[in-house]
Amino acid sequence: MEYDDLDLKKPEQCKDYSECSDFVTNAIEAIMQAAIDARRNQIIINTNLKRGLPMENINKIAGPFVEAWAYETFYSVMEDKKNQYHLINVEAQQRLHMADVILQFKKKRKVDSGVTAEVDVKATSEDFESSGKSPNITSFKRIRTAYVEDPDYIFIVLSLKHRVYSTKNVESGLMDGIMEVVAHNAYDLKFLSRADLSYNPALGTGQLQVRDIHYVKLTKRTTWEFCELLDRKFINSRKGFGEWLELARKNKWIRTDD
């Protein structure tokens, strides 16, 4: 038995998927840029450290701060009921969820009136070149199953680049840490080019990674084409076809007569 011999479930996305994906991605990019332009991109960290934050290790704690900033930025937009981005709902997710934030936008469509996207926020440091360069995105099994269960699933990777510096607080005489978001890049995971998407077989069923989150190319493809791409990367790894087949049967990626 080989991969091409199997009767796999082939999810079919809606006809306007690409349009909806572009709509969401452009809105997220615009929201981030508006926050930067309006100088609402600073996270102030008050400490009692007289010498300021430990800069050599700051990238280790930056992620949660930047994720919280992104959530609050989206939430502030959503509170404006007349916001130009048509963002109508924002939900923060638990730590083990695939994404950090779920966004819902109002959009006129033939079969629906809105678009939902899950957003995975990745923090990268401007001060350290290799910081967050090749992040883990999500597990192979979870994302592969998600696209079978919902062919129109939109999973956005939001890369936020930040820099950190310290400034003296005049009132306390201590040093305040300033974490400042300075750049952003958002893209639909499904459209990431084959070369930019890598599979790391370590950790459970393996992790999807972006080779260099600062420089990516996009390729429009269908949901099924993306599922097949993921399968090929898994099978071509040291895990091989046998482990993939076991996962496929367990997670019901193969059609059965039941």
Side-chain angles (χ1 to χ4, degrees), residues 55-240:
M55 299 299 293
E56 66 276 9
N57 292 312
I58 197 65
N59 59 307
K60 295 180 180 179
I61 65 170
F65 281 101
V66 173
E67 290 169 15
W69 174 85
Y71 168 72
E72 291 196 2
T73 299
F74 288 129
Y75 198 87
S76 294
V77 170
M78 185 268 295
E79 287 186 310
D80 177 6
K81 302 304 179 183
K82 296 182 180 179
N83 71 81
Q84 61 181 309
Y85 313 103
H86 306 290
L87 180 60
I88 58 175
N89 193 40
V90 179
E91 296 179 13
Q93 298 303 294
Q94 298 294 327
R95 181 175 176 272
L96 296 179
H97 192 83
M98 280 200 296
D100 299 304
V101 186
I102 294 180
L103 305 179
Q104 291 179 305
F105 295 86
K106 186 176 182 180
K107 185 181 188 303
K108 291 184 179 180
R109 304 171 61 190
K110 289 184 177 180
V111 296
D112 207 340
S113 59
V115 182
T116 299
E118 298 201 5
V119 182
D120 188 21
V121 181
K122 297 300 180 185
T124 65
S125 174
E126 186 180 62
D127 306 306
F128 301 91
E129 184 177 353
S130 61
S131 171
K133 177 182 176 182
S134 304
N136 288 329
I137 302 300
T138 187
S139 80
F140 168 80
K141 183 187 76 171
R142 294 182 72 183
I143 197 71
R144 177 66 168 82
T145 301
Y147 283 112
V148 172
E149 293 177 347
D150 180 8
D152 299 321
Y153 182 54
I154 300 178
F155 187 91
I156 303 295
V157 178
L158 173 59
S159 171
L160 296 176
K161 183 179 285 190
H162 60 84
R163 61 167 172 251
V164 182
Y165 55 92
S166 295
T167 183
K168 191 169 184 177
N169 187 308
V170 178
E171 294 182 2
S172 67
L174 300 175
M175 299 296 287
D176 287 339
I178 309 295
M179 192 173 292
E180 189 173 69
V181 177
V182 296
H184 56 86
N185 187 20
Y187 48 85
D188 189 329
L189 178 67
K190 196 169 79 177
F191 295 153
L192 198 66
S193 75
R194 179 185 294 270
D196 288 316
L197 185 67
S198 61
Y199 169 74
N200 183 348
L203 300 176
T205 62
Q207 289 280 322
L208 296 187
Q209 296 179 324
V210 181
R211 292 190 186 278
D212 187 342
I213 201 167
H214 301 306
Y215 302 98
V216 299
K217 292 182 179 180
L218 302 179
T219 301
K220 290 294 177 90
R221 58 170 66 90
T222 66
T223 301
W224 164 241
E225 287 171 339
F226 187 61
C227 288
E228 187 176 25
L229 172 63
L230 297 181
D231 290 344
R232 299 290 185 185
K233 285 184 177 288
F234 184 103
I235 292 169
N236 291 334
S237 75
R238 60 178 172 79
K239 287 185 176 292

